[in-house]
Amino acid sequence: MRTDYDAAVLGAGVAGSSLAAMLAARGWVTALMDRQRFPKHKVCGEFLSPESQHILSAMGLRETVQSLEPHRISRIALYLAGGGQVELPLPGTALGVSRYRLDAALHRHAVAEGAFLLQGGTVTAVVPYEHGYILHVRQGRESTEITARAVVAAWGAGGQGRILGRHDHRVDDGSWRKRRSGSAHERGAIGVKSHFAWSAGASSPSDAVELYFFPGGYLGINGIECGHYNMAALLDSEDIPRSHSTVEGMLMEAVSRNPALHSRMVDAQPVHGTESAVAPVHISKHPVPWSVIPHIGDAIGRIPPLCGDGMSMGLRSAQLCAADAHRYLAGEWTYEQWRIAYTQAIYSQFSGPLRWGKVVEGMLRHPAASRLLPGLARLSPRLACKFVEATRLRPG
Ligand SMILES: Cc1cc2nc3c(=O)[nH]c(=O)nc-3n(C[C@H](O)[C@H](O)[C@H](O)COP(=O)(O)OP(=O)(O)OC[C@H]3O[C@@H](n4cnc5c(N)ncnc54)[C@H](O)[C@@H]3O)c2cc1C
């Protein structure tokens, strides 16, 4: 295995894979590293916003995504906890496609551009040295070291910052079962997802992403490939009865809490093997674009899942980072110039969506506010659309 690289991208999710592809396409010897093995199912609403498609097109990936046979989505339907309903058009067509297919397609693209995909190895430490960084990688009982001139954190929202500068730190293994036994604060929220199918004729394919709110969380449903639907929920972990220890059990508990959702799920069957869960899920107030090394995607900050914009933020940050990393690797910029330019770009583009995402999530989950919202949206559809727009990235 090669052990020296120009760039190492730590995490092969949407953000990391796209960055690795862009760096490799510019001629840099790039490692794309992940502790997981792919393809795999991942907690996500699997809703590719209209914004993310502009970025995928700019990366030359439009046809690749279309070849995954995504489901087309043009509306958003909100079913509030008080029983009210709000429908809004999306600012463009969104796509529903599973992360199982999407991530694998992004990996193939990165490899085709020349990146080295290293799966199944956990990066346990990132140690600076005179020519860049030494990465400590653990695979089973084996430990290896690789070096890279530039390293980018694309490791998601798991709070992996402890890896930086700590030679011996053992990283979180992401076990959601273990997390459920921690303190209330540590537990945060739990994200769960599963694919579902309806028996033929029971549910016509919908062009809406449906969001259902209930005490203790919310749940989204949208069509994906193969006529299946993805169902993803964010649940306050203190609110879930301990008896519900499976993903299906937690989803069914959520279903029982919103009557509209309960009726919707009549005749729905889970697609076994597609379930996954993640915890704790903490939502970010401010972006953190740089801490020792540049961060991209959820490593910068997590927007409330109901905004359906996490993947586009991952793609946008990868785009910004690729251009700046190239200047650094080519010797046009110092490390400090890269840090300043990238940090400023992320603050200016991400601060608004993160702040407004939290505001909108708070309103939709608040019992009193959610009772007023259907009337307000009918009175002023433009105002409702403005709120949605405030959570979106501006065109790049
Ligand atoms: C319930 C829920 C629903 C959501 N719905 C949507 C939606 O509909 N649309 C949308 O756009 N976004 C949605 N999101 C957000 C979206 O899933 C994330 O924004 C997106 O996955 C972030 O991508 P990423 O590449 O930054 O990180 P990730 O996809 O999390 O990838 C990080 C990768 O890093 C790897 N890694 C971590 N640590 C290490 C290590 N030490 N060594 C090696 N590898 C490591 C992990 O294994 C992982 O594969 C949702 C999120 C949740 C929780």
Coordinates of all heavy atoms in Angstrom, one line a residue, residues 100-155:
Y100 N -26.8 4.5 0.1 CA -26.2 3.3 -0.3 C -25.6 3.4 -1.7 O -24.5 3.0 -2.0 CB -27.2 2.1 -0.1 CG -26.6 0.7 -0.3 CD1 -26.2 0.1 0.8 CD2 -26.6 0.1 -1.5 CE1 -25.7 -1.2 0.7 CE2 -26.1 -1.2 -1.6 CZ -25.6 -1.8 -0.5 OH -25.2 -3.1 -0.7
R101 N -26.5 3.9 -2.6 CA -26.1 4.1 -4.0 C -25.3 5.3 -4.2 O -24.3 5.3 -5.0 CB -27.4 4.2 -4.9 CG -28.1 2.9 -5.1 CD -29.0 3.0 -6.3 NE -29.6 1.8 -6.6 CZ -30.4 1.5 -7.6 NH1 -30.7 2.5 -8.5 NH2 -30.9 0.3 -7.8
L102 N -25.7 6.4 -3.6 CA -25.0 7.7 -3.8 C -23.5 7.7 -3.4 O -22.6 8.0 -4.2 CB -25.7 8.8 -3.1 CG -25.1 10.2 -3.3 CD1 -25.2 10.7 -4.8 CD2 -25.8 11.2 -2.4
D103 N -23.3 7.2 -2.2 CA -21.9 7.2 -1.7 C -21.0 6.3 -2.5 O -19.9 6.7 -2.8 CB -21.9 6.8 -0.2 CG -22.4 7.8 0.7 OD1 -23.1 8.8 0.3 OD2 -22.2 7.8 2.0
A104 N -21.6 5.2 -2.9 CA -20.8 4.2 -3.7 C -20.5 4.9 -5.1 O -19.3 4.7 -5.6 CB -21.5 2.9 -3.9
A105 N -21.4 5.6 -5.6 CA -21.2 6.3 -6.9 C -20.1 7.4 -6.8 O -19.3 7.5 -7.7 CB -22.5 6.9 -7.5
L106 N -20.2 8.1 -5.7 CA -19.1 9.1 -5.4 C -17.8 8.5 -5.3 O -16.7 9.1 -5.7 CB -19.5 10.0 -4.2 CG -20.8 10.9 -4.4 CD1 -21.1 11.6 -3.1 CD2 -20.6 11.9 -5.6
H107 N -17.7 7.3 -4.6 CA -16.4 6.6 -4.5 C -15.9 6.2 -5.8 O -14.7 6.4 -6.1 CB -16.6 5.4 -3.6 CG -16.9 5.7 -2.2 ND1 -17.5 4.8 -1.3 CD2 -16.8 6.9 -1.5 CE1 -17.7 5.4 -0.1 NE2 -17.3 6.7 -0.2
R108 N -16.8 5.7 -6.7 CA -16.3 5.2 -8.0 C -15.7 6.4 -8.8 O -14.7 6.3 -9.4 CB -17.5 4.6 -8.8 CG -17.8 3.2 -8.3 CD -18.7 2.5 -9.4 NE -20.0 3.1 -9.5 CZ -21.1 2.9 -8.8 NH1 -21.0 2.0 -7.8 NH2 -22.2 3.5 -9.0
H109 N -16.4 7.6 -8.6 CA -16.0 8.8 -9.3 C -14.6 9.2 -8.8 O -13.7 9.5 -9.6 CB -17.0 9.9 -9.1 CG -16.6 11.2 -9.7 ND1 -16.5 11.4 -11.1 CD2 -16.3 12.4 -9.1 CE1 -16.1 12.6 -11.3 NE2 -16.0 13.3 -10.1
A110 N -14.4 9.2 -7.5 CA -13.2 9.6 -6.9 C -12.0 8.7 -7.4 O -11.0 9.2 -7.8 CB -13.2 9.6 -5.4
V111 N -12.3 7.4 -7.4 CA -11.3 6.5 -7.9 C -11.0 6.6 -9.3 O -9.8 6.6 -9.8 CB -11.7 5.0 -7.5 CG1 -10.8 4.0 -8.2 CG2 -11.8 4.8 -6.0
A112 N -12.0 6.9 -10.1 CA -11.8 7.1 -11.6 C -11.0 8.4 -11.8 O -10.2 8.4 -12.8 CB -13.2 7.2 -12.3
E113 N -11.1 9.3 -10.9 CA -10.3 10.6 -11.1 C -8.8 10.3 -10.6 O -8.0 11.2 -10.7 CB -10.9 11.7 -10.3 CG -12.2 12.2 -10.8 CD -12.2 13.0 -12.1 OE1 -11.1 13.1 -12.6 OE2 -13.2 13.5 -12.5
G114 N -8.6 9.2 -9.9 CA -7.2 8.9 -9.5 C -7.0 8.8 -8.0 O -5.9 8.6 -7.6
A115 N -8.1 9.0 -7.2 CA -7.9 9.0 -5.7 C -7.7 7.5 -5.3 O -8.2 6.6 -5.9 CB -9.1 9.6 -5.0
F116 N -7.0 7.3 -4.2 CA -6.9 6.0 -3.6 C -7.9 5.9 -2.4 O -7.9 6.6 -1.5 CB -5.5 5.8 -3.0 CG -4.4 5.9 -4.0 CD1 -3.9 7.1 -4.5 CD2 -3.8 4.7 -4.5 CE1 -2.9 7.1 -5.5 CE2 -2.8 4.7 -5.5 CZ -2.4 5.9 -6.0
L117 N -8.8 4.9 -2.6 CA -9.8 4.7 -1.5 C -9.4 3.7 -0.5 O -9.2 2.5 -0.9 CB -11.2 4.3 -2.2 CG -12.3 3.9 -1.3 CD1 -12.7 5.1 -0.4 CD2 -13.5 3.4 -2.1
L118 N -9.1 4.1 0.7 CA -8.7 3.2 1.8 C -9.8 3.0 2.8 O -10.1 3.9 3.5 CB -7.4 3.8 2.5 CG -6.3 4.4 1.6 CD1 -5.2 5.0 2.4 CD2 -5.8 3.3 0.6
Q119 N -10.4 1.8 2.7 CA -11.6 1.5 3.6 C -11.2 0.7 4.8 O -10.3 -0.1 4.7 CB -12.7 0.8 2.8 CG -13.0 1.5 1.5 CD -14.2 0.7 0.8 OE1 -15.3 0.6 1.3 NE2 -13.9 0.2 -0.4
G120 N -12.0 0.8 5.8 CA -11.9 -0.1 7.0 C -10.7 0.2 7.9 O -10.4 -0.6 8.8
G121 N -10.1 1.4 7.8 CA -9.1 1.8 8.7 C -9.5 3.1 9.4 O -9.8 4.1 8.8
T122 N -9.4 3.0 10.8 CA -9.7 4.2 11.6 C -8.5 5.1 11.8 O -7.5 4.6 12.2 CB -10.3 3.8 12.9 OG1 -11.4 3.0 12.7 CG2 -10.7 5.0 13.8
V123 N -8.6 6.4 11.4 CA -7.5 7.3 11.8 C -7.6 7.6 13.2 O -8.7 8.1 13.7 CB -7.6 8.6 10.9 CG1 -6.6 9.6 11.3 CG2 -7.5 8.2 9.4
T124 N -6.6 7.3 14.0 CA -6.6 7.5 15.4 C -5.8 8.7 15.9 O -6.0 9.2 17.0 CB -6.1 6.3 16.1 OG1 -4.7 6.0 15.6 CG2 -6.9 5.1 15.9
A125 N -4.9 9.2 15.0 CA -4.2 10.4 15.4 C -3.6 11.1 14.1 O -3.3 10.5 13.1 CB -3.0 10.0 16.3
V126 N -3.6 12.4 14.2 CA -3.0 13.3 13.1 C -1.9 14.1 13.8 O -2.2 15.0 14.6 CB -4.1 14.2 12.5 CG1 -3.5 15.1 11.5 CG2 -5.3 13.4 12.0
V127 N -0.7 13.8 13.4 CA 0.5 14.4 14.1 C 1.3 15.3 13.1 O 1.7 14.7 12.1 CB 1.4 13.3 14.7 CG1 2.5 13.9 15.5 CG2 0.6 12.4 15.6
P128 N 1.4 16.6 13.4 CA 2.2 17.4 12.5 C 3.6 17.0 12.5 O 4.2 16.6 13.5 CB 2.0 18.8 13.1 CG 1.1 18.7 14.2 CD 0.9 17.3 14.6
Y129 N 4.3 17.1 11.3 CA 5.7 17.0 11.3 C 6.2 18.0 10.2 O 5.4 18.6 9.5 CB 6.2 15.5 11.0 CG 6.2 15.0 9.6 CD1 7.4 14.6 9.0 CD2 5.0 15.0 8.8 CE1 7.4 14.2 7.7 CE2 5.1 14.5 7.5 CZ 6.2 14.1 7.0 OH 6.3 13.7 5.7
E130 N 7.5 18.1 9.9 CA 8.0 19.2 9.1 C 7.5 19.2 7.7 O 7.4 20.3 7.1 CB 9.6 19.2 9.1 CG 10.1 17.9 8.6 CD 11.7 17.8 8.7 OE1 12.3 18.9 8.3 OE2 12.2 16.8 9.0
H131 N 7.1 18.1 7.1 CA 6.6 18.1 5.7 C 5.1 17.9 5.6 O 4.6 17.7 4.5 CB 7.3 16.9 4.9 CG 8.8 17.0 4.9 ND1 9.4 18.1 4.4 CD2 9.7 16.2 5.4 CE1 10.7 17.9 4.5 NE2 10.9 16.8 5.1
G132 N 4.4 18.0 6.7 CA 2.9 17.9 6.7 C 2.4 17.2 7.9 O 2.6 17.6 9.0
Y133 N 1.8 16.0 7.7 CA 1.2 15.3 8.8 C 1.5 13.8 8.7 O 1.5 13.2 7.6 CB -0.3 15.5 8.9 CG -0.7 16.9 9.2 CD1 -0.9 17.8 8.2 CD2 -0.8 17.3 10.5 CE1 -1.2 19.1 8.5 CE2 -1.2 18.6 10.8 CZ -1.3 19.5 9.8 OH -1.6 20.8 10.1
I134 N 1.6 13.2 9.9 CA 1.7 11.7 10.0 C 0.3 11.2 10.5 O -0.2 11.7 11.5 CB 2.8 11.2 10.9 CG1 4.1 11.7 10.4 CG2 2.8 9.7 11.0 CD1 5.3 11.5 11.5
L135 N -0.3 10.3 9.8 CA -1.6 9.8 10.2 C -1.4 8.4 10.8 O -0.8 7.5 10.1 CB -2.6 9.7 9.0 CG -2.8 11.0 8.2 CD1 -3.8 10.7 7.1 CD2 -3.3 12.1 9.1
H136 N -2.0 8.2 11.9 CA -1.9 6.8 12.5 C -3.3 6.1 12.2 O -4.3 6.7 12.5 CB -1.8 6.9 14.1 CG -0.5 7.5 14.5 ND1 0.3 6.9 15.4 CD2 0.2 8.6 14.1 CE1 1.4 7.6 15.5 NE2 1.3 8.7 14.7
V137 N -3.2 5.0 11.6 CA -4.4 4.3 11.1 C -4.4 2.9 11.7 O -3.5 2.2 11.7 CB -4.4 4.2 9.5 CG1 -5.7 3.6 9.0 CG2 -4.0 5.5 8.9
R138 N -5.6 2.6 12.3 CA -5.8 1.3 13.0 C -6.7 0.5 12.1 O -7.8 0.9 11.8 CB -6.3 1.5 14.4 CG -6.2 0.2 15.2 CD -6.9 0.4 16.6 NE -8.3 0.7 16.4 CZ -8.9 1.6 17.1 NH1 -8.4 2.3 18.0 NH2 -10.2 1.8 16.9
Q139 N -6.3 -0.7 11.8 CA -7.2 -1.7 11.1 C -7.1 -3.0 11.8 O -6.1 -3.7 11.8 CB -6.7 -1.8 9.6 CG -7.6 -2.5 8.7 CD -7.4 -2.1 7.3 OE1 -6.3 -1.7 6.9 NE2 -8.4 -2.2 6.4
G140 N -8.2 -3.3 12.5 CA -8.2 -4.5 13.4 C -7.1 -4.3 14.4 O -7.0 -3.3 15.1
R141 N -6.2 -5.3 14.5 CA -5.1 -5.2 15.5 C -3.9 -4.5 14.9 O -2.9 -4.2 15.7 CB -4.7 -6.6 16.0 CG -5.8 -7.2 16.8 CD -5.4 -8.5 17.3 NE -6.4 -9.0 18.2 CZ -6.3 -10.1 18.8 NH1 -5.3 -10.8 18.8 NH2 -7.3 -10.5 19.6
E142 N -3.9 -4.2 13.6 CA -2.7 -3.6 13.0 C -2.8 -2.1 13.0 O -3.8 -1.5 12.9 CB -2.7 -4.1 11.5 CG -2.6 -5.6 11.4 CD -1.7 -6.0 10.3 OE1 -1.6 -5.2 9.3 OE2 -1.3 -7.2 10.3
S143 N -1.6 -1.5 13.1 CA -1.5 -0.1 13.1 C -0.5 0.3 12.0 O 0.6 -0.3 11.9 CB -0.9 0.4 14.4 OG -1.9 1.3 15.0
T144 N -0.9 1.3 11.1 CA 0.1 1.7 10.1 C 0.2 3.3 10.2 O -0.7 3.9 10.8 CB -0.4 1.3 8.7 OG1 -1.8 1.7 8.6 CG2 -0.2 -0.1 8.4
E145 N 1.2 3.8 9.5 CA 1.3 5.2 9.4 C 1.4 5.6 8.0 O 2.0 5.0 7.1 CB 2.7 5.7 10.1 CG 2.6 5.6 11.6 CD 3.9 6.1 12.2 OE1 4.8 6.6 11.5 OE2 4.0 6.0 13.5
I146 N 0.7 6.7 7.7 CA 0.9 7.3 6.3 C 1.1 8.8 6.5 O 0.8 9.4 7.5 CB -0.3 7.0 5.4 CG1 -1.5 7.9 5.8 CG2 -0.7 5.6 5.3 CD1 -2.5 7.9 4.6
T147 N 1.7 9.4 5.5 CA 2.0 10.8 5.5 C 1.3 11.6 4.4 O 1.0 11.0 3.3 CB 3.6 11.1 5.4 OG1 4.0 10.5 4.2 CG2 4.3 10.5 6.6
A148 N 1.0 12.8 4.7 CA 0.4 13.6 3.7 C 0.8 15.1 3.9 O 0.9 15.5 5.1 CB -1.2 13.5 3.8
R149 N 0.9 15.8 2.8 CA 1.3 17.2 3.0 C 0.1 18.0 3.5 O 0.3 19.0 4.2 CB 1.8 17.8 1.6 CG 3.1 17.2 1.2 CD 3.4 17.6 -0.3 NE 3.3 19.0 -0.5 CZ 2.9 19.6 -1.6 NH1 2.6 18.9 -2.7 NH2 2.9 20.9 -1.7
A150 N -1.1 17.7 3.1 CA -2.3 18.4 3.6 C -3.3 17.3 4.0 O -3.4 16.3 3.4 CB -2.9 19.2 2.5
V151 N -4.0 17.6 5.1 CA -5.0 16.7 5.6 C -6.3 17.5 5.8 O -6.3 18.6 6.4 CB -4.5 16.1 7.0 CG1 -5.6 15.1 7.5 CG2 -3.2 15.3 6.8
V152 N -7.4 16.9 5.4 CA -8.7 17.5 5.6 C -9.6 16.6 6.4 O -9.7 15.4 6.1 CB -9.3 17.9 4.2 CG1 -10.7 18.5 4.4 CG2 -8.4 18.8 3.4
A153 N -10.3 17.2 7.4 CA -11.2 16.4 8.2 C -12.6 16.4 7.5 O -13.2 17.5 7.4 CB -11.4 17.1 9.6
A154 N -13.0 15.2 7.1 CA -14.4 15.1 6.5 C -15.1 14.0 7.3 O -15.8 13.2 6.8 CB -14.2 14.7 5.0
W155 N -14.8 13.9 8.6 CA -15.2 12.8 9.4 C -16.6 12.9 10.0 O -16.9 12.2 11.0 CB -14.2 12.5 10.5 CG -13.7 13.7 11.3 CD1 -14.5 14.8 11.8 CD2 -12.3 14.0 11.7 NE1 -13.7 15.6 12.4 CE2 -12.4 15.2 12.4 CE3 -11.1 13.3 11.5 CZ2 -11.2 15.8 12.9 CZ3 -10.0 13.9 12.0 CH2 -10.0 15.1 12.7

